[in-house]
Amino acid sequence: MSERENENTISLLLVPLEDIVVFPNMNVTLTVDVGDEERVLLVPKHDDEYAKVGTVAQVTDRIRLPGGGRAVALEGLHRGIAGAAGSDSRGQLFVDVEERPDAETADGRIRELEREYRAVVEEILELRGDDGRIAAFVRSISEPGALADTTGYSPDITFEQKVRHLETVDVRARLELALELQRERLALMQVRQRIQQDVESGVEKQQREYILRRQLDSIRKELGEDEGSVVEEYRTKMAEAQMPENVLEQAEQELLRLDRMGDQSPEASVIRNYLDWLLAVPWSRRSEERLDPKHTREVLDADHAGLDDVKDRIVEYIAVAKLRKERGVEDDRRSGAILTLIGPPGTGKTSIGESIARATGREFVRMSLGGIRDEAEIRGHRRTYIGALPGRLVRALRDAGTMNPVIMLDEVDKVGADWRGDPSSALLEVLDPAQNHSFRDHYLDVELDLSQVFFIATGNMAETIPGPLLDRMEVIRFDGYTTDEKVAIANGYLWPRQVERNGLREDEVSIPDDALELVVSEYTREAGVRQLERELGTVLRKTATKIASEEVEPPVVLDEDAVRDALGRRKFYREVAERTAVPGVATGLAATATGGDVLFIEATSHKDGDKLVLTGQLGDVMKESAQIALSSVRALAPKLGIDEDLFEKRAFHVHVPAGAIPKDGPSAGITMATALASLLTGRPVKHTVGMTGEITLQGRVLPIGGLKQKVLAAHAAGITDIVIPERNRPDLEDIPENVRDEIAFHPVMSIDEVLGLALEETPVQPSVTV
């Protein structure tokens, strides 16, 4: 025996137990070799993590197993707290153990806990159907610590709970923990028993109801009564619904099945649910359209500022419908209206749907398609599935109550696809005027005429809409608002709405246009007006607080100083002049899902390293544009007075700031070429110039998209000269007139023209040398 003792601790052999907890007074047999040791420390272990407290165990027998193996019989004595560890000459691990046998004293609280624990355990044993032996064993234990340790015998206690129990050395705390665990067991067993009793009573109730219903059926037959009242009720509703002939035929077949099988069949509820959905579709109900183009335009103008393209298209639709009706032209089921509004967030795409419905006198229903991945959301589930339902279109018609509502398909560009199907493919039939007059929902399985529905789809980017689906849409682009338009929208819509929401009256607070312009230019940078409305709400909340606390007396005029005081430091700056003051920095223009933006492109060079390094989370197309830009500048080296040896002996680094944002596209080609040319010649780019255009190896400038969004962003950033591709000249007609008056546009055909317009005449620092 190699016990090494001092005053407080004893050194014992450590026996780790993988996912096993042995408590004092337990007897176990383990297949371990303990040598000549008389006592050992049994410590629970899980995932190489040891418990802090173990059980000091006495070796009561040594057993030789067949095959030469050894085992020992052990009896748990008391707890021991493991301390420092060390190995002996044979590699065995010994630990210093502070022995902690249970105290023999027991106060009144411990006795009370003992009584509660015994009562809970007896109740558990009663629920388990114990034959009395375990109860007798528990009653025979007189020591409170040993009584608490009987929790370790429970099969429902987890390993973690047992370790926690073992590590509780104090007897009172251990009894409290044991009582808590056993109460949880008791509560769980009582819930299980109630569930079992409820299930058994439910089965008995169903059997009883079945017998009673069979008897009731027999009594009704004897009296000459049957379930015809339900069938007749459905038949009356079907006649009132004025269903199309093919739909009525389908409904009659289902009603006949219901009549034959009776109301007690499990299939009856499925058939009744199907008939209820057939009747929920407003087959014969239509809104009375107001075919007045002037009234339509007035309503649209009253609700929204700008957006002339959309308003013109709606007025055209109403005018055509009016002429067809007045001249007796038969309705064409293949001439439905399907508009798709593409543009940045906050530009009024969703809200204009309600205005269109109000202007035309139709009902309005909004369907949000963002994130849906299941085709059944559009077409519905087949009736073979439990809990099957029609698709969203049928539900939209039910909610509208007419067959000719305005249905808005919101966020159509964010429809997903996975193993359950592709909802965008299901939309192909819905949004095709040549097909949607015979749309078939999987659940109803009858043809639905959607040709009279006015579909309006919205999205932020057309690029994420599948090509076949986009081909069926009439796309109208929302390219954002100018500063003047935002001020007009704030005056006419946002400000009155926020005044009302913040509990103020119109005569109590006002704001001049110059203060609104300040909010637009210094505190927002967006294509829409959502952030603008939030900022106005902030200003009004602070004003309302001052009025409510009697710090100011209405009426209050919010000038520029009051706005700055409410909104704090300015959030956006016009930094074009500062950024382009050194050679190697050019100002580009970009179009994103949230509108246009100004993009700074920086270039530098050094002697060693890769020939061209690109940073800023650039996509493949943008990386190729940078390589083309470098090659085109190299071809122009003699004209620009650049030493051609530079391209062999120096490396170049092109960076696009805002590195956390992914960027891609070819339209930054001429901007990258300008930045490189500026770097190599030492001539900075004019701070008033922004540019956009794709570049070729021959130095030609190719057209780009999103010009209006880019120009509006440049205008907001204070740029007064914009270089654009010559083939984008016709797109200038889409630019608002007040913006065209303030910006000089320079259509170009080649990179030579770009550099002539963009670079300063004289260098501000020496050009790069070898």
Side-chain angles (χ1 to χ4, degrees):
M1 178 174 173
S2 58
E3 298 179 0
R4 299 186 293 275
E5 302 182 7
N6 58 28
E7 294 180 359
N8 299 315
T9 63
I10 185 171
S11 182
L12 297 178
L13 177 67
L14 175 67
V15 179
L17 304 177
E18 189 71 40
D19 293 334
I20 299 174
V21 182
V22 175
F23 286 89
N25 301 311
M26 281 189 178
N27 293 295
V28 293
T29 300
L30 302 175
T31 56
V32 296
D33 184 5
V34 299
D36 297 330
E37 301 296 323
E38 294 297 327
R39 290 199 295 173
V40 296
L41 182 68
L42 306 178
V43 179
K45 171 189 172 187
H46 178 72
D47 290 342
D48 295 329
E49 186 175 344
Y50 291 83
K52 299 175 183 176
V53 177
T55 300
V56 178
Q58 179 75 40
V59 178
T60 59
D61 193 10
R62 288 178 169 81
I63 305 166
R64 187 175 296 278
L65 301 175
R70 293 189 178 188
V72 289
L74 300 168
E75 179 185 1
L77 300 177
H78 48 257
R79 285 167 170 76
I81 301 175
S87 301
D88 66 0
S89 58
R90 292 180 297 169
Q92 293 180 307
L93 186 64
F94 284 81
V95 293
D96 294 338
V97 180
E98 180 187 346
E99 296 184 279
R100 298 294 294 271
D102 292 338
E104 297 181 0
T105 58
D107 56 18
R109 174 59 179 162
I110 290 178
R111 295 303 177 194
E112 182 182 347
L113 290 170
E114 277 189 74
R115 288 192 294 273
E116 290 185 33
Y117 182 82
R118 293 180 192 278
V120 171
V121 170
E122 286 182 5
E123 196 168 349
I124 291 173
L125 293 175
E126 184 180 346
L127 288 174
R128 290 179 55 184
D130 177 48
D131 58 3
R133 287 181 294 176
I134 298 178
F137 167 70
V138 173
R139 284 195 294 271
S140 68
I141 299 173
S142 59
E143 294 298 325
L147 180 66
D149 286 341
T150 57
T151 300
Y153 291 99
S154 172
D156 300 329
I157 305 299
T158 65
F159 172 78
E160 289 77 10
Q161 290 173 327
K162 289 181 180 179
V163 170
R164 180 183 167 200
H165 189 78
L166 180 66
E167 291 179 343
T168 307
V169 178
D170 182 72
V171 174
R172 179 190 294 184
R174 196 188 317 154
L175 263 174
E176 290 174 346
L177 177 60
L179 183 59
E180 178 187 343
L181 294 174
Q182 296 292 15
R183 280 173 174 166
E184 289 178 1
R185 284 186 64 208
L186 176 60
L188 183 61
M189 293 178 69
Q190 288 172 338
V191 169
R192 288 175 179 168
Q193 186 182 46
R194 283 198 299 270
I195 292 173
Q196 185 175 359
Q197 291 173 349
D198 290 344
V199 170
E200 291 174 355
S201 63
V203 172
E204 293 174 359
K205 182 180 178 182
Q206 287 179 351
Q207 292 175 342
R208 180 170 173 272
E209 286 182 354
Y210 176 76
I211 294 171
L212 290 174
R213 288 186 184 280
R214 297 295 296 176
Q215 292 175 348
L216 184 60
D217 290 343
S218 300
I219 294 171
R220 282 178 173 171
K221 286 181 181 178
E222 291 295 328
L223 294 173
E225 299 176 355
D226 56 19
E227 296 175 349
S229 57
V230 175
V231 176
E232 287 303 320
E233 182 182 352
Y234 273 115
R235 191 162 279 121
T236 302
K237 290 181 179 178
M238 286 158 52
E240 293 174 352
Q242 299 179 21
M243 298 176 174
E245 187 175 342
N246 61 324
V247 179
L248 184 60
E249 183 179 343
Q250 175 76 10
E252 289 285 359
Q253 290 178 0
E254 295 296 327
L255 195 59
L256 187 61
R257 287 181 58 206
L258 178 65
D259 194 15
R260 284 201 303 264
M261 69 177 52
D263 196 40
Q264 307 311 314
S265 170
E267 184 74 11
S269 62
V270 177
I271 296 175
R272 293 180 66 169
N273 195 38
Y274 174 75
L275 290 173
D276 288 339
W277 273 108
L278 272 184
L279 292 168
V281 177
W283 300 101
S284 59
R285 294 192 292 275
R286 286 163 181 77
S287 299
E288 190 66 35
E289 264 190 304
R290 181 168 182 175
L291 303 177
D292 184 351
K294 289 184 179 179
H295 169 75
T296 301
R297 185 68 190 219
E298 289 171 359
V299 172
L300 296 176
D301 285 338
D303 289 350
H304 291 81
L307 310 181
D308 289 332
D309 292 344
V310 185
K311 295 175 181 177
D312 290 343
R313 182 62 183 88
I314 304 303
V315 171
E316 290 165 7
Y317 171 81
I318 295 298
V320 171
K322 179 182 180 182
L323 289 177
R324 292 176 67 89
K325 184 175 181 180
E326 290 176 349
R327 299 176 182 183
V329 180
E330 186 178 351
D331 287 341
D332 184 1
R333 299 174 72 186
R334 300 172 183 267
S335 62
I338 300 169
L339 300 183
T340 301
L341 314 178
I342 300 293
T347 51
K349 300 183 299 297
T350 303
S351 61
I352 201 170
E354 299 181 34
S355 298
I356 292 172
R358 193 161 67 88
T360 56
R362 298 187 180 206
E363 298 295 325
F364 176 76
V365 182
R366 177 178 167 271
M367 287 172 49
S368 179
L369 302 182
I372 70 166
R373 296 177 175 272
D374 192 353
E375 178 199 358
E377 291 279 351
I378 307 298
R379 289 189 175 276
H381 303 84
R382 300 191 183 277
R383 278 194 288 158
T384 51
Y385 299 113
I386 296 175
L389 283 173
R392 290 194 180 194
L393 284 166
V394 173
R395 283 178 270 171
L397 292 176
R398 177 202 62 184
D399 295 342
T402 66
M403 291 298 286
N404 63 338
V406 174
I407 295 182
M408 171 155 284
L409 306 175
D410 214 4
E411 309 294 355
V412 73
D413 60 326
K414 297 176 182 63
V415 174
D418 61 10
W419 56 270
R420 289 169 292 188
D422 185 358
S424 61
S425 298
L427 286 172
L428 291 176
E429 181 183 359
V430 175
L431 299 181
D432 190 347
Q435 300 179 44
N436 65 8
H437 63 277
S438 57
F439 174 75
R440 188 176 288 268
D441 183 89
H442 284 162
Y443 180 82
L444 297 183
D445 202 25
V446 294
E447 289 187 356
L448 273 170
D449 184 6
L450 301 179
S451 63
Q452 298 179 59
V453 176
F454 196 141
F455 285 106
I456 301 174
T458 72
N460 297 131
M461 296 185 71
E463 289 76 13
T464 56
I465 302 176
L469 184 60
L470 191 63
D471 183 60
R472 287 162 165 79
M473 299 172 169
E474 182 178 342
V475 176
I476 298 176
R477 295 193 176 271
F478 283 48
D479 292 315
Y481 298 108
T482 64
T483 301
D484 292 343
E485 287 175 333
K486 290 181 180 180
V487 170
I489 292 170
N491 272 321
Y493 308 96
L494 308 183
W495 182 260
R497 186 161 62 199
Q498 286 298 323
V499 167
E500 181 182 354
R501 286 180 181 176
N502 288 283
L504 298 170
R505 293 191 297 270
E506 289 184 15
D507 58 348
E508 287 184 316
V509 62
S510 61
I511 185 169
D513 287 353
D514 55 352
L516 286 174
E517 282 189 32
L518 178 76
V519 177
V520 171
S521 61
E522 296 187 8
Y523 294 93
T524 68
R525 183 161 292 177
E526 57 178 345
V529 292
R530 282 191 183 140
Q531 184 62 31
L532 173 59
E533 184 170 12
R534 282 192 285 268
E535 298 295 344
L536 294 179
T538 301
V539 172
L540 284 169
R541 282 195 303 275
K542 293 184 181 297
T543 305
T545 302
K546 291 180 180 180
I547 293 175
S549 57
E550 298 182 354
E551 294 180 21
V552 296
E553 287 290 332
V556 179
V557 178
L558 297 171
D559 56 12
E560 294 184 9
D561 292 336
V563 168
R564 286 198 175 96
D565 181 59
L567 298 181
R569 62 180 180 83
R570 101 184 256 181
K571 298 177 181 177
F572 297 99
Y573 297 86
R574 295 184 175 183
E575 54 181 348
V576 179
E578 294 85 351
R579 295 287 286 269
T580 59
V582 295
V585 181
T587 307
L589 306 176
T592 69
T594 57
D597 201 359
V598 174
L599 204 65
F600 295 100
I601 294 181
E602 302 173 347
T604 187
S605 71
H606 45 85
K607 288 186 177 181
D608 301 316
D610 296 332
K611 287 298 180 185
L612 181 60
V613 178
L614 303 171
T615 55
Q617 272 213 71
L618 309 186
D620 291 339
V621 177
M622 205 164 182
K623 289 178 181 177
E624 292 172 0
S625 293
Q627 293 168 344
I628 295 169
L630 181 60
S631 298
S632 63
V633 172
R634 185 172 185 175
L636 290 172
K639 286 186 181 180
L640 297 172
I642 302 171
D643 185 356
E644 289 196 48
D645 291 340
L646 285 173
F647 296 95
E648 293 294 337
K649 298 180 180 180
R650 295 189 70 87
F652 296 91
H653 185 167
V654 175
H655 175 64
V656 184
I661 303 172
K663 311 166 192 72
D664 205 359
S667 64
I670 65 171
T671 315
M672 291 180 171
T674 303
L676 289 167
S678 171
L679 171 72
L680 293 169
T681 60
R683 296 160 59 189
V685 177
K686 297 174 183 176
H687 69 271
T688 60
V689 175
M691 61 194 73
T692 180
E694 181 179 354
I695 191 172
T696 69
L697 279 174
Q698 285 76 33
R700 293 181 58 81
V701 180
L702 300 183
I704 45 80
L707 182 64
K708 183 179 178 182
Q709 295 183 32
K710 296 176 181 179
V711 169
L712 293 179
H715 180 254
I719 292 174
T720 57
D721 294 88
I722 298 181
V723 179
I724 64 171
E726 174 65 35
R727 286 166 58 184
N728 281 110
R729 186 191 290 268
D731 297 333
L732 294 177
E733 296 179 4
D734 297 333
I735 310 297
E737 186 175 351
N738 65 317
V739 176
R740 290 204 304 265
D741 292 340
E742 296 179 20
I743 293 179
F745 294 94
H746 305 279
V748 296
M749 294 286 291
S750 67
I751 189 63
D752 292 346
E753 298 175 69
V754 176
L755 299 179
L757 290 165
L759 298 181
E760 297 282 2
E761 291 297 328
T762 56
V764 296
Q765 66 184 42
S767 59
V768 176
T769 57
V770 177

